[in-house]
Amino acid sequence: MFWTNKYLSPIGGITLASNGTGLTGLWFDGQRFFADTLPEEYEEKDLPVFEQARRWLDIYFSGKAPVFTPPLAFVGISPFRKRVWEIMLDIPFGETSTYGKIAQQIVWETGKAVSAQAVGGAVGHNSISLIIPCHRVVGTNGGLTGYAGGIDKKIELLKMEGVDISKFALPI
């Protein structure tokens, strides 16, 4: 069984999902790939994992880096996607990385060729936004490319973390 809960952030509504033990989803309402890992049948309910996620979000939206991560549950994803998400978890608050750097790290770990585009696909389908900070991944050329929640939200999140976005190329 899966459950959902809502959170109202300063930049829009958020839907949380859980399998009862870990957070399986965190999406801005209406974003691309919204609830893509959520089964058709679920119930709205408050759970301890949602309380932890809301506490994390409260700290985050106050402009501070949370010092804990709520329990996460990676549901229905490939080992490659899981590894990309784990790497994103290590990108510090207020810093960015690139699709290319993540690809290089995976090549270094596995010895297998990985493209920045493949990493981009895994980043774009991140089901636990914010906590797994896909908004901190930018184009190797300095472009603020893609964000399932919308480029406007990506910019707001980076600004809130103190990132100087003037060094990035904004999409036209």
Side-chain angles (χ1 to χ4, degrees):
M1 186 64 187
F2 282 76
W3 293 271
T4 62
N5 206 268
K6 298 287 186 177
Y7 179 87
L8 184 56
S9 85
I11 60 172
I14 290 175
T15 298
L16 305 165
S18 174
N19 62 359
T21 56
L23 201 61
T24 59
L26 189 159
W27 304 274
F28 282 103
D29 293 344
Q31 79 172 49
R32 194 170 22 143
F33 312 120
F34 178 82
D36 63 344
T37 59
L38 189 62
E40 286 186 27
E41 292 189 27
Y42 59 88
E43 294 178 14
E44 177 107 9
K45 181 179 180 181
D46 202 9
L47 300 170
V49 69
F50 292 145
E51 291 173 26
Q52 292 175 46
R54 286 192 304 270
R55 188 164 41 104
W56 190 98
L57 290 164
D58 287 344
I59 293 166
Y60 180 82
F61 283 112
S62 76
K64 298 180 183 124
V67 295
F68 69 97
T69 301
L72 304 178
F74 300 120
V75 176
I77 64 168
S78 69
F80 173 75
R81 192 172 284 182
K82 180 178 185 231
R83 185 62 193 126
V84 170
W85 294 5
E86 290 168 343
I87 292 169
M88 285 191 292
L89 279 167
D90 290 334
I91 304 171
F93 183 95
E95 295 182 28
T96 60
S97 187
T98 67
Y99 300 99
K101 284 182 186 174
I102 294 171
Q104 287 173 351
Q105 182 172 343
I106 293 171
V107 169
W108 180 81
E109 291 173 0
T110 66
K112 297 178 182 174
V114 173
S115 71
Q117 291 80 8
V119 168
V123 170
H125 283 85
N126 173 16
S127 296
I128 309 173
S129 294
L130 296 177
I131 293 174
I132 299 176
C134 52
H135 62 281
R136 295 181 190 147
V137 182
V138 299
T140 302
N141 64 355
L144 286 181
T145 60
Y147 184 63
I151 291 293
D152 57 330
K153 283 187 175 59
K154 182 172 189 160
I155 291 167
E156 286 304 310
L157 295 169
L158 291 173
K159 282 182 181 178
M160 192 180 63
E161 292 185 22
V163 174
D164 177 9
I165 63 154
S166 68
K167 63 183 178 182
F168 298 110
L170 299 176
I172 298 173

